[in-house]
């Protein structure tokens, strides 16, 4: 359906007419979700006599074949249409952070890995593949991207985000939204609005006390970009309370800010049980009805995953109150409008089960996954050992991660979700535990030195049955480098202090020419994971067993290559001290082993860059590059020590950092403003090495004469620049004056007269050139009038 004015007018007419024909019960039915998952108590025929507005496809995660999911979607939809007196079909939602979280779907790297590509084009291709597969299975709402800004690696869900920077998250998030919604029948639902990962102490769903200015300038920016540039159709509020008010019940945030100031006109769907938690967790109101009333007036259009607070008998008591009647009408009309816009009335069903199988994991989608996986790998250290030779040699390969395909998948993947059926305790909010007969009660053990359950060995077997084409890192090396002898040893687990397997692994290194040591945690869902939703930590470093093993291996004087997996960046004293190379691999999904081996052995170049500042220890957190002047490692007040007594103020790895197999030189820097006030910052970049490579050129800005304390630097834009050996290209960034605006003391977006500094470089910690541009007059801007990231143009200079 097109988006012309006539179509919009027609949709409004249809919505108004249908709304006027609905009974109160039918209206409320559009505001509630139905959930058929095994742990749900929902009874469709009994509990939803007037139909349902939305359906959770969590039931699909309990299946092993996508055709079964399609069959169930069609069955549920038919029942809902029949129950609805006006035959209104339901929206169906599915998690899509790493691809459609259902069996047989194409899987993609985690959010933080996607961000490490610094490649919006790849993100849009990924989004397009996700949107198409979402549509094929009959889902209309794709729950992604995650637009949270993450400044605290203790938070177990850091791996879902695009990292710490609002400009990077804005450009990547907008690209994903654009891709998902490109087919016209799928809506992206961005989450978690707002400031969720700023929760106190790095604890999931804790309160987040964020000043109003910071909410607008940093945490709202990616959502604003997705709304203004990506035409985002859905938003999910977070579980947190901000400044004393649960977001799910905050009219200030969900209506005044999100709708009135930011211009959002789509639907707002609650996080699972989020409305009920206003009463049950935050203890606001005297009864659950108060939470329902508060959420509806705040602007929450639908309650998920099941009907609890938004019951007709609960809401009916408020009928006749103007504010309630207005809020109810607005919510129902927004839901109906989206259904018409997405064509749900005309196309309510999944494709035929026999067709869906052929529609999933198409070559283009797999190619998109491979691209993101390869571009996400970040080379953090290299003393000349990489790329490895493919000549005959012996390679020691150590670690749990090296021979498990499960490690390639992080949180919010089908692979992580299925573990709840193998006896682990659920850690996801709003989802109850599933009773399993696969692991008898009382038989679970913890890894020594941890509280994490030992992984059920059947998990890996099931993962391989679901991805029969996949190879573990060990299998991929053996296949790609047949001349090599691979000496594999388990060595150590992904958590704790167990050293009982060290000897065999150290023997493997003694017998080998080079060692590849795989380290990191297990990022996923449930009590056998060490990172993920509801799995926060006070220690952001490698577990003791891995740190100790690296030190023991170093004493053998063999070249050591460290490959790190997980949802937070590697932070390891031993790796920094002893490793000859460190490769950050995140969780690269179904093409992960292929991507890692291609970079380790030089078939592909490492091009990833760090989307988050990496601390030495959790004691430095929160740590982020765009901290205010006069703080963090720009404190600049002097003292007895340059940093902490026991640690530097500076990070282990800077935002934007990443090495290549070649070198780059910058030159011809220029920063100017044209007559319209638009700023142009240009430089040349040359591949000064002997191999092809890709440099990610980063533009940073600094307001040097603001009326409020400003960040020491801020990312304004970036561009991936592929270069052949000795090739030079010209990069020019265009910065609109509105992008430099900040909130003054009166909370107005303002641009001051004065000098602004612009810097271009390789990372936030490695700036190559800086220059100033004079802004000749002050200006004011509206919330939606601002440019949100700089545009880059890359050209090849003409020959002399």
């Amino acid at each position: 359906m097109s988006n012309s004015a006539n179509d919009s007018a027609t949709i409004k007419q249809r919505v108004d007419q249908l709304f006027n024909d609905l009974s109160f019960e039918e209206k409320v039915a559009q505001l509630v979700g139905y959930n058929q998952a095994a742990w749900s108590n929902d009874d469709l025929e009994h509990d939803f006599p007037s139909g349902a507005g939305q359906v959770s496809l969590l039931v699909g995660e309990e299946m092993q074949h996508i055709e079964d999911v399609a069959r169930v979607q069609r069955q549920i939809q038919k029942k809902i249409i029949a129950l609805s007196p006006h035959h209104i079909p339901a929206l169906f939602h599915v998690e899509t952070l790493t691809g459609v979280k259902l069996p047989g779907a194409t899987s993609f790297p985690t959010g933080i890995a996607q961000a490490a590509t610094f490649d919006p084009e790849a993100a849009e291709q990924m989004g397009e593949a996700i949107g198409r597969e979402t549509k094929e299975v009959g889902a209309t709402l794709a729950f992604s991207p995650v637009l949270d800004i993450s400044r605290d690696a203790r938070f177990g869900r850091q791996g879902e985000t695009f990292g710490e920077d609002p400009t990077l998250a804005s450009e990547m998030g907008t690209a994903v939204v654009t891709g998902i919604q490109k087919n016209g029948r799928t809506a992206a639902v961005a989450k978690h609005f707002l400031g969720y990962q700023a929760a106190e102490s790095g604890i999931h769903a804790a309160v987040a006390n964020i000043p109003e200015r910071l909410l607008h300038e940093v945490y709202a920016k990616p959502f604003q970009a997705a709304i203004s540039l990506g035409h985002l159709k859905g938003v999910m509020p977070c579980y947190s309370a901000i400044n004393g008010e649960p977001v799910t019940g905050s009219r200030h945030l969900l209506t005044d800010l999100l709708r009135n100031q930011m211009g959002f006109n789509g639907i707002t769907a609650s996080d699972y049980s989020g409305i009920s938690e206003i009463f049950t967790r935050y203890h606001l109101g005297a009864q659950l009805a108060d939470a329902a009333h508060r959420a509806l007036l705040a602007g929450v259009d639908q309650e998920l995953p099941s009907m609890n607070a938004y019951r007709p008998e609960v809401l009916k008591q408020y009928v006749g109150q103007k504010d309630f009647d207005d809020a109810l009408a607005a919510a129902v009309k927004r839901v109906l409008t989206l259904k018409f816009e997405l064509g749900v009335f005309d196309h309510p069903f999944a494709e035929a089960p026999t067709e869906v199988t052929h529609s999933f994991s198409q070559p283009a989608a797999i190619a998109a996954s491979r691209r993101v996986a390869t571009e996400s790998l970040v080379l953090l250290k290299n003393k000349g050992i990489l790329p490895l030779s493919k000549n005959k040699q012996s390679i020691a390969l150590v670690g749990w991660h090296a021979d498990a395909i499960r490690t390639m998948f992080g949180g919010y993947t089908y692979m992580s979700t299925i573990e709840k059926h193998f006896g682990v305790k659920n850690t996801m909010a709003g989802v109850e535990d599933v009773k399993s007969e696969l692991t008898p009660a009382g038989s679970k053990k913890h890894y020594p030195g941890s509280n994490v359950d030992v992984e059920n060995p059947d998990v890996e077997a099931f993962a391989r049955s679901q991805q029969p084409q996949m190879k573990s890192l060990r299998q991929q090396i053996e296949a790609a480098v047949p001349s090599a002898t691979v000496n594999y040893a388990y060595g150590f687990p992904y958590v704790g202090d167990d050293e009982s397997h060290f000897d065999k692994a150290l023997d493997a290194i003694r017998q080998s020419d080079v060692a590849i040591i795989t380290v990191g945690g297990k990022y996923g869902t449930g009590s056998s994971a060490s990172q993920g939703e509801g799995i926060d930590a006070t220690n952001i470093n490698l577990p003791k067993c891995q740190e100790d093993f690296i030190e023991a291996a170093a004493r053998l004087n063999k070249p050591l290559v460290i490959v790190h997996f997980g949802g937070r960046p590697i932070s390891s004293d031993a790796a920094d001290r002893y490793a000859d190379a460190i490769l950050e691999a995140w969780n690269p999904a179904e093409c992960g082993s292929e991507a890692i081996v291609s970079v380790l052995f030089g078939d592909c170049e490492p091009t990833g860059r760090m989307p988050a500042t990496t601390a030495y220890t959790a004691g430095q957190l929160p740590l982020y590059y765009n901290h205010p002047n006069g703080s963090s490692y720009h404190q600049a007040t002097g003292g007895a020590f340059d940093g902490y007594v026991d640690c530097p103020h500076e990070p282990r790895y800077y935002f934007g950092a990443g090495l290549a197999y070649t070198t780059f030189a910058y030159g011809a820097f220029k920063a100017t403003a044209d007559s319209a006030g638009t700023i142009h910052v240009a430089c040349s970049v040359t591949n000064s090495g002997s191999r092809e490579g890709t440099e990610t050129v980063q533009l940073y800005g600094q307001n040097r004469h603001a009326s409020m304390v400003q960040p020491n630097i801020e990312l304004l834009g970036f561009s991936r620049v592929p270069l052949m050996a000795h090739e030079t290209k010209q990069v020019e960034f265009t910065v609109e004056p509105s992008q430099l605006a900040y909130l003054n003391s009166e909370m107005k977006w303002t641009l001051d007269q004065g000098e602004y500094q612009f810097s271009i470089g390789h990372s936030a910690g490695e700036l190559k050139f800086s220059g100033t541009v004079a802004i000749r007059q002050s200006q004011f801007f509206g919330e939606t009038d601002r440019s949100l990231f700089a545009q880059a143009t890359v050209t090849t200079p003409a020959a002399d």
Side-chain angles (χ1 to χ4, degrees):
M1 182 174 293
S2 70
N3 293 317
S4 70
N6 287 337
D7 287 335
S8 298
T10 301
I11 287 176
K12 184 180 186 306
Q13 292 171 358
R14 296 175 72 182
V15 167
D16 289 343
Q17 180 178 344
L18 180 56
F19 176 83
N20 291 334
D21 289 343
L22 298 180
S23 67
F24 174 76
E25 287 73 19
E26 290 176 272
K27 292 173 183 176
V28 174
Q30 293 306 302
L31 308 186
V32 297
Y34 165 66
N35 178 22
Q36 194 172 308
W39 50 270
S40 172
N41 294 318
D42 287 359
D43 184 319
L44 182 56
E45 285 82 1
H46 180 270
D47 299 332
F48 300 85
S50 299
Q54 190 171 155
V55 175
S56 167
L57 264 183
L58 274 182
V59 64
E61 298 171 11
E62 300 165 3
M63 301 173 183
Q64 298 183 28
H65 305 287
I66 195 62
E67 55 265 32
D68 293 331
V69 181
R71 189 175 295 110
V72 167
Q73 190 277 345
R74 293 166 72 91
Q75 291 171 352
I76 294 173
Q77 187 73 289
K78 287 178 182 177
K79 290 181 181 178
I80 287 174
I81 292 173
L83 287 169
S84 169
H86 285 82
H87 308 298
I88 303 174
L91 300 165
F92 281 69
H93 72 255
V94 64
E95 297 288 353
T96 56
L97 171 67
T98 58
V100 180
K101 195 154 75 91
L102 294 171
T106 308
S107 63
F108 292 88
T110 49
I112 200 166
Q114 296 166 25
T117 69
F118 277 66
D119 189 347
E121 181 183 272
E124 184 171 336
Q125 286 183 356
M126 179 192 75
E128 191 170 356
I130 290 172
R132 183 179 56 78
E133 292 188 1
T134 300
K135 174 179 69 71
E136 295 297 314
V137 80
T140 36
L141 301 181
F143 278 10
S144 68
V146 171
L147 298 180
D148 300 327
I149 297 299
S150 176
R151 293 175 164 182
D152 194 334
R154 295 174 299 176
F155 204 100
R157 303 182 74 173
Q158 184 179 44
E160 297 177 31
T161 74
F162 291 129
E164 71 183 44
D165 182 73
T167 297
L168 176 61
S170 294
E171 194 157 357
M172 296 296 290
T174 299
V176 173
V177 169
T178 300
I180 286 174
Q181 298 187 165
K182 189 172 289 186
N183 64 46
R185 287 177 50 194
T186 309
V189 178
K191 52 187 189 176
H192 306 85
F193 191 86
L194 185 67
Y196 170 58
Q197 297 219 12
E200 288 187 350
S201 306
I203 297 174
H204 156 73
V207 298
N209 292 313
I210 306 171
E212 191 74 12
R213 182 172 288 102
L214 199 61
L215 272 177
H216 286 252
E217 292 181 342
V218 173
Y219 293 98
K221 181 175 177 177
F223 289 92
Q224 184 69 74
I227 293 165
S228 299
L229 304 175
H231 309 292
L232 178 69
K233 292 183 178 294
V235 163
M236 175 184 287
C238 71
Y239 284 118
S240 297
I242 295 180
N243 302 326
E245 190 174 37
V247 175
T248 304
S250 172
R251 182 174 178 81
H252 168 63
L253 293 175
L254 299 184
T255 295
D256 297 342
L257 175 58
L258 179 62
R259 295 195 181 277
N260 297 342
Q261 295 182 50
M262 298 175 67
F264 177 67
N265 57 14
I267 70 162
T268 302
S270 81
D271 209 335
Y272 281 20
S273 303
I275 296 175
S276 299
E277 287 192 354
I278 295 173
F279 174 66
T280 62
R281 194 159 71 90
Y282 288 111
H283 304 294
L284 298 186
Q287 55 188 340
L288 186 60
D290 296 328
H293 183 257
R294 180 171 184 147
L296 192 62
L297 265 59
V300 181
D301 299 321
Q302 291 188 310
E303 179 183 25
L304 301 179
S306 302
M307 176 173 55
N308 189 27
Y310 280 9
R311 293 180 177 275
E313 63 271 23
V314 171
L315 296 180
K316 200 157 194 174
Q317 62 185 294
Y318 301 109
V319 172
Q321 299 178 11
K322 186 178 186 309
D323 57 354
F324 173 82
D325 292 343
D326 290 346
L328 177 69
V332 174
K333 288 182 179 181
R334 283 193 288 262
V335 172
L336 294 176
T337 297
L338 184 61
K339 290 182 178 183
F340 280 118
E341 288 179 345
L342 298 179
V344 179
F345 286 90
D346 298 322
H347 305 282
F349 301 113
E351 296 298 318
T354 54
E355 298 297 324
V356 170
T357 303
H358 304 297
S359 300
F360 272 43
S361 294
Q362 288 289 317
I366 295 171
S369 179
R370 183 182 297 110
R371 176 179 178 178
V372 175
T374 304
E375 293 182 359
S376 73
L377 304 178
V378 185
L379 184 62
L380 291 170
K381 182 180 181 181
N382 188 17
K383 295 171 67 174
I385 186 65
L386 295 181
L388 295 172
S389 170
K390 288 188 176 182
N391 294 333
K392 185 176 182 179
Q393 62 178 322
S394 55
I395 301 171
L397 188 59
V398 178
W400 168 78
H401 302 80
D403 201 28
I405 71 165
R406 167 61 188 84
T407 190
M408 298 294 167
F409 302 90
Y412 275 80
T413 62
Y414 175 69
M415 288 301 184
S416 68
T417 302
I418 55 95
E419 294 197 31
K420 64 187 178 184
H421 300 289
F422 291 87
V424 302
K425 183 180 179 181
N426 170 64
T427 58
M428 289 180 64
V431 177
E432 298 178 14
D433 278 318
V434 176
K435 294 181 180 180
S436 174
E437 299 177 357
L438 299 173
T439 303
S443 66
K444 290 184 290 186
K445 298 180 180 179
H446 294 160
Y447 286 103
S450 81
N451 294 321
V452 176
D453 291 344
V454 173
E455 182 185 65
N456 188 316
D458 292 337
V459 168
E460 178 65 17
F462 180 83
R464 293 187 184 233
S465 73
Q466 290 296 300
Q467 295 281 354
Q469 83 291 352
M470 271 192 71
K471 293 181 175 66
S472 67
L473 184 59
R474 174 187 183 181
Q475 293 170 319
Q476 190 68 39
I477 293 174
E478 291 172 342
V481 193
S483 62
T485 300
V486 178
N487 299 316
Y488 171 74
Y490 171 79
F492 42 78
Y494 51 83
V495 69
D497 58 11
D498 182 10
E499 300 186 0
S500 62
H501 300 277
F502 276 20
D503 289 345
K504 185 175 180 181
L506 292 171
D507 283 342
I509 295 176
R510 289 189 187 95
Q511 298 166 19
S512 303
D513 300 312
V514 62
I516 300 174
I517 303 174
T518 61
V519 298
K522 180 180 178 183
Y523 176 29
T525 302
S527 54
S528 67
S530 62
Q531 302 165 18
E533 182 172 349
I535 311 173
D536 309 314
T538 60
N539 184 1
I540 64 168
N541 305 105
L542 295 183
K544 185 177 185 300
C545 59
Q546 297 178 12
E547 198 80 358
D548 290 350
F549 184 84
I550 294 172
E551 292 193 19
R555 291 192 285 270
L556 301 179
N557 296 315
K558 296 293 180 78
L560 303 180
V561 177
I562 304 294
V563 180
H564 178 261
F565 296 86
R568 63 172 64 95
I570 182 174
S571 184
S572 165
D573 292 341
D576 280 355
R577 187 177 300 121
Y578 300 117
D580 293 281
I582 302 174
L583 185 69
E584 178 60 75
W586 316 106
N587 297 95
E590 64 182 81
C591 297
S593 295
E594 180 184 346
I596 293 168
V597 170
S598 71
V599 169
L600 288 178
F601 289 89
D603 294 325
C604 293
E605 302 298 306
T607 65
R609 298 292 182 262
M610 294 301 290
T613 301
T614 307
Y616 283 96
T617 75
Q620 292 177 279
L621 299 175
L623 183 65
Y624 48 98
Y625 87 91
N626 51 346
H627 51 262
N629 287 313
S631 63
S632 192
Y633 51 91
H634 287 90
Q635 179 199 23
T637 60
F641 301 94
D642 292 333
Y644 295 100
V645 173
D646 53 357
C647 179
H649 283 158
E650 288 76 16
R652 190 185 296 273
Y653 306 119
Y654 284 89
F655 173 86
L659 303 175
Y661 289 154
T662 187
T663 55
F664 303 100
Y666 286 72
F669 175 83
K670 185 168 59 174
T672 60
D674 62 25
S675 58
T678 301
I679 296 128
H680 304 274
V681 185
C683 74
S684 65
V685 58
T686 300
N687 182 344
S688 52
S690 57
R691 291 177 62 106
E692 65 178 313
T694 297
E695 172 67 324
T696 298
V697 180
Q698 300 162 41
L699 172 67
Y700 294 88
Q702 180 189 36
N703 186 337
R704 304 184 69 180
H705 302 286
S707 62
M708 309 295 294
V709 176
Q710 292 294 287
N712 72 98
I713 57 171
E714 291 182 282
L715 183 71
L716 299 178
F718 54 89
S719 179
R720 287 173 56 93
V721 184
L723 294 161
M724 302 300 293
H726 310 300
E727 183 182 15
T728 297
K729 290 183 180 178
Q730 187 81 6
V731 183
E732 180 175 315
F733 292 96
T734 301
V735 183
E736 297 299 331
S738 63
Q739 189 181 349
L740 306 176
Y742 69 96
L743 288 168
N744 65 13
S745 60
E746 297 177 348
M747 293 300 288
K748 295 180 179 179
W749 288 102
T750 184
L751 174 66
D752 299 312
Q753 179 181 352
E755 286 190 340
Y756 283 72
Q757 179 168 294
F758 298 92
S759 303
I760 276 183
H762 177 77
S763 73
E766 192 178 342
L767 302 177
K768 302 295 186 180
F769 292 101
S770 296
T772 58
V773 173
I775 302 298
R776 302 193 182 280
Q777 66 179 34
S778 299
Q779 300 177 53
F780 294 94
F781 303 94
E783 187 84 32
T784 59
D785 297 333
R786 296 175 297 120
S787 174
L788 297 163
F789 44 83
Q791 301 298 320
T793 303
V794 180
T795 58
T796 301
D800 294 334

